[in-house]
């Protein structure tokens, strides 16, 4: 973009200047709407319910094929854990005082893919597989889905291919479930994708195609090559409704978990949710679901790296996918896996624009510090990007959000969405931990 054009954007949105300088920012979404005033979204509660039903139909199959889902009878879900020691750590280390309770939503423990991508990615592939099987007359929805384990089904799916562009985690999720069903699956990976993720995917039977460029380029190349084949399906992270719905279902499950823990959510007991954000599909789907279930009592915030504030640029300017961070000279280089995204999802942005409360940015160094603080205080090890939400409660407090919006914080519940980590090799994790230790100065 021309400097003159950049200057005129900055004039309109002064915060862009701080973002270009890679400073951390806290942005409030003035376009957030009350539920009563939200209409015309591309998806609704009935779509979420249908998505949940699809998961239920596939549960017997998943329980058989993925032993880590067996205990929950094939439902892909993660625990919600209170982290009081980390809360103390955050108060001490950042000299803050968090009001309310602090929980970690442990998607780092999600079965199948060990990250939040097990929600959207697995869902979209199951949805596609079901559609193919029904169209071919192999299946009726009232029949047992254990048939998907049969040789006949695998043989059938081997004639179809699936492609996806990914920085790593989405590729793992799509690759693992697609290969298990018998599809030919190709994962187009950006240059920042970790070697161990490529190795693991190949081991699971996926084809890994490596690209020099970033995430958007990997997607563009993957889309083009996949769609050039016949009988091929491309999982498009830049505009997928299915991924979005797969993520949204998390809200139904979270409602059950909060009920089980006797945690109230209403105007006097607000719920705050902090979601690490890449293209905005996962956090957008979850925020959408949360607003459907908890209405105006839930306040959702996204978190992006200072080097990759793609959704923030898109929502702040209202231009969504039409602008990318590189247009402003921001380099999109971050060690937050899954967050190195320069351009937001068009589908998700159109919805998040109305549902979320705000976005803050975080420095890479902070991710490592938080990783180490969490490991030391709670003995929970998650990947760097997954820690981004941990600063949320302190950011909210510092911003005066509660006062402006007349929200009482004393009975608040904070949920930090931990988005990945289970599959990270021990050696890598040790390296992350040591880096955090060094940044903390100890
Ligand atoms: C993909 C991912 C996210 C963000 O999801 P988007 O849909 O890209 O916004 C956050 N954390 C991790 C670990 C991820 O893999």
């Amino acid at each position: 973009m021309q400097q003159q054009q950049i200057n005129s954007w900055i004039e309109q949105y002064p915060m862009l200047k701080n973002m270009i300088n890679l400073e951390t920012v806290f942005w409030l979404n003035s376009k957030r709407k009350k539920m009563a005033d939200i209409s015309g979204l591309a998806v609704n509660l009935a779509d979420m319910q249908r998505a949940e039903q699809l998961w239920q139909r596939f549960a017997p199959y998943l329980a058989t094929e993925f032993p880590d889902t067996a205990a929950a009878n094939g439902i892909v879900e993660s625990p919600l854990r209170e982290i009081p020691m980390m809360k103390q750590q955050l108060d001490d280390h950042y000299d803050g005082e968090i009001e309310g309770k602090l929980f970690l939503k442990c998607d780092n423990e999600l079965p199948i893919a060990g990250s939040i991508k097990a929600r959207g990615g697995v869902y979209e592939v199951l949805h596609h597989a079901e559609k193919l099987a029904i169209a071919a007359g192999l299946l009726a929805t009232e029949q047992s889905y254990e048939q998907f384990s049969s040789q006949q089904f695998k043989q059938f799916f081997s004639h179809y291919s699936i492609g996806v562009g990914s920085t790593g985690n989405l590729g793992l999720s799509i690759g693992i479930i697609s290969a298990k069903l018998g599809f030919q699956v190709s994962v187009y990976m950006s240059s920042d994708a970790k070697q161990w993720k490529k190795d693991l995917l190949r081991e699971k039977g996926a084809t890994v195609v490596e690209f020099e460029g970033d995430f958007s380029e990997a997607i563009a190349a993957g889309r083009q090559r996949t769609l050039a084949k016949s009988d091929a399906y491309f999982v498009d992270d830049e505009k997928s409704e299915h991924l979005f719905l797969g993520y949204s279902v998390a809200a139904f499950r979270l409602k059950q978990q909060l009920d089980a823990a006797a945690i109230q959510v209403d105007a006097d007991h607000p719920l705050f949710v902090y979601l690490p954000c890449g293209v905005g599909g996962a956090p957008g789907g979850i925020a959408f679901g949360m607003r459907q279930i908890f209405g105006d009592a839930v306040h959702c915030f996204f978190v992006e790296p200072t080097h990759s504030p793609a959704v923030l640029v898109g929502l702040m300017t209202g231009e969504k996918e039409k602008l990318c961070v590189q247009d402003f000279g921001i380099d999109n280089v971050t060690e937050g896996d899954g967050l190195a995204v320069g351009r937001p999802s068009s589908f998700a942005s159109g919805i998040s624009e109305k549902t979320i409360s705000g976005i803050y940015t975080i420095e890479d160094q902070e991710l490592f510090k938080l990783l180490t603080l969490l490991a030391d205080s709670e003995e929970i090890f998650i990947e760097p990007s997954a820690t981004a939400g941990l600063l949320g409660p302190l950011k909210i407090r510092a911003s005066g959000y509660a006062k402006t919006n007349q929200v009482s914080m004393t009975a608040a519940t904070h949920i930090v969405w931990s988005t990945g980590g289970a599959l990270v090799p021990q050696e890598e994790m040790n390296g992350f931990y040591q880096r955090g230790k060094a940044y903390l100065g100890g």
Side-chain angles (χ1 to χ4, degrees), residues 203-270:
E203 186 191 310
K204 299 278 183 186
T207 301
V208 176
V209 188
E210 299 176 54
F211 282 93
E212 275 312 309
D214 79 352
F215 174 68
S216 300
E217 293 166 75
I219 289 200
R223 189 188 286 131
Q224 193 192 6
R225 292 207 201 173
T226 305
L227 298 180
K229 299 183 200 175
S230 58
D231 294 328
Y233 180 87
F234 186 67
V235 176
D236 202 327
D237 204 14
E238 288 188 322
K239 49 180 157 231
S240 171
E241 175 178 333
H242 297 305
L243 286 176
F244 191 88
L245 286 172
Y247 293 122
S248 74
V249 167
F252 291 130
R253 319 281 183 67
L254 193 65
K255 169 88 169 84
Q256 291 171 354
Q257 290 177 324
L258 289 171
D259 286 349
I263 293 167
Q264 249 175 291
V265 180
D266 53 39
D268 299 324
H269 304 81

Side-chain angles (χ1 to χ4, degrees), residues 137-208:
L138 286 172
L139 179 79
T141 48
E142 60 281 2
Q143 286 175 333
S144 166
Y145 278 37
E146 284 172 58
Q147 295 178 85
F148 281 87
S149 296
S150 68
Q151 268 317 312
Q152 187 201 3
F153 272 55
K154 287 192 177 160
Q155 179 64 34
F156 170 70
F157 289 124
S158 73
H159 299 296
Y160 294 88
S161 51
I162 289 183
V164 65
S166 172
T167 65
N169 286 343
L170 184 64
L172 277 178
S173 138
I174 301 289
I176 290 171
I177 184 68
S178 301
K180 184 68 93 179
L181 283 160
F183 285 105
Q184 296 173 42
V185 56
S186 298
V187 180
Y188 299 85
M189 284 200 151
S190 50
S191 55
D192 58 317
K194 298 271 183 343
Q195 190 58 43
W196 70 264
K197 293 189 180 176
K198 299 177 195 168
D199 296 342
L200 182 61
L201 268 171
R202 291 188 170 116
E203 186 191 310
K204 299 278 183 186
T207 301
V208 176

Side-chain angles (χ1 to χ4, degrees), residues 368-380:
F368 290 97
K369 285 194 210 170
L370 291 165
L371 183 152
T372 301
L373 289 174
L374 183 67
D376 286 343
S377 60
E378 303 279 351
E379 290 182 58
I380 298 175

Side-chain angles (χ1 to χ4, degrees), residues 323-346:
L323 288 177
C324 65
V325 302
Q326 290 92 340
D327 289 337
F328 294 92
I330 302 173
D331 63 9
N332 189 29
V333 176
T334 167
E335 296 194 68
D337 274 25
L339 310 186
V341 172
R343 191 184 296 281
S345 156
S346 54

Side-chain angles (χ1 to χ4, degrees), residues 114-117 167-170 197 215 237 243 247 275-284 302 311 336-339 341 345 383 385-386 417-421:
S115 83
I116 195 166
K117 300 299 191 309
T167 65
N169 286 343
L170 184 64
K197 293 189 180 176
F215 174 68
D237 204 14
L243 286 176
Y247 293 122
L275 299 143
C277 175
V279 290
F302 290 180
V311 175
D337 274 25
L339 310 186
V341 172
S345 156
E383 59 182 281
S385 48
W417 216 282
S418 163
T419 45

Side-chain angles (χ1 to χ4, degrees), residues 256-321:
Q256 291 171 354
Q257 290 177 324
L258 289 171
D259 286 349
I263 293 167
Q264 249 175 291
V265 180
D266 53 39
D268 299 324
H269 304 81
L271 178 60
F272 286 79
V273 186
Y274 310 100
L275 299 143
C277 175
V279 290
I286 290 171
F288 161 80
M290 298 295 281
R291 290 297 306 278
Q292 295 293 323
I293 308 283
F294 298 105
D296 300 330
V298 64
H299 308 262
C300 300
F301 289 85
F302 290 180
V303 197
E304 298 189 293
T306 49
H307 287 251
S308 305
V311 175
L312 179 49
V313 165
L315 294 193
M316 176 188 279
T317 61
E319 294 290 307
K320 292 167 245 177
E321 80 285 357

